[in-house]
Amino acid sequence: MARVIVDVMLKPEILDPQGQAIARALPRLGFDGVGAVRQGKRFELELEGPADEAALAEVRKMAETLLANTVIEDYTVRVAE
């Protein structure tokens, strides 16, 4: 069994209002020194077999089809240690 992680983030050119709200709230809560925040999503997938190239290609297909809106989001796929 293998665990694969898919991280999804808004593309850099897309406005991130949730990240901006978090960035504004941090100083009010006493957390200084943060210039910007981008919010994203993380998916952890437990594969039934090994995380070989065929399995990773299938996970990329899942990300493009369901997990990420590729018009406004980028994603990365990696095998968890």
Side-chain angles (χ1 to χ4, degrees):
M1 242 212 273
R3 177 177 292 170
V4 176
I5 298 169
V6 180
D7 290 309
V8 179
M9 296 291 294
L10 286 172
K11 291 182 178 183
E13 63 271 14
I14 302 296
L15 182 66
D16 183 0
Q18 288 180 303
Q20 290 174 341
I22 293 166
R24 286 190 305 270
L26 287 173
R28 290 194 308 265
L29 296 171
F31 300 103
D32 295 318
V34 177
V37 176
R38 303 281 297 171
Q39 182 191 354
K41 300 179 278 190
R42 173 184 165 130
F43 299 92
E44 293 186 10
L45 301 151
E46 294 272 341
L47 303 183
E48 293 179 352
D52 56 14
E53 280 306 313
L56 293 176
E58 191 73 9
V59 171
R60 286 186 200 94
K61 196 184 227 182
M62 290 176 206
E64 289 179 15
T65 304
L66 177 65
L67 305 178
N69 176 350
T70 57
V71 173
I72 61 169
E73 295 174 320
D74 290 325
Y75 68 89
T76 59
V77 174
R78 62 188 168 90
V79 179
E81 295 181 17

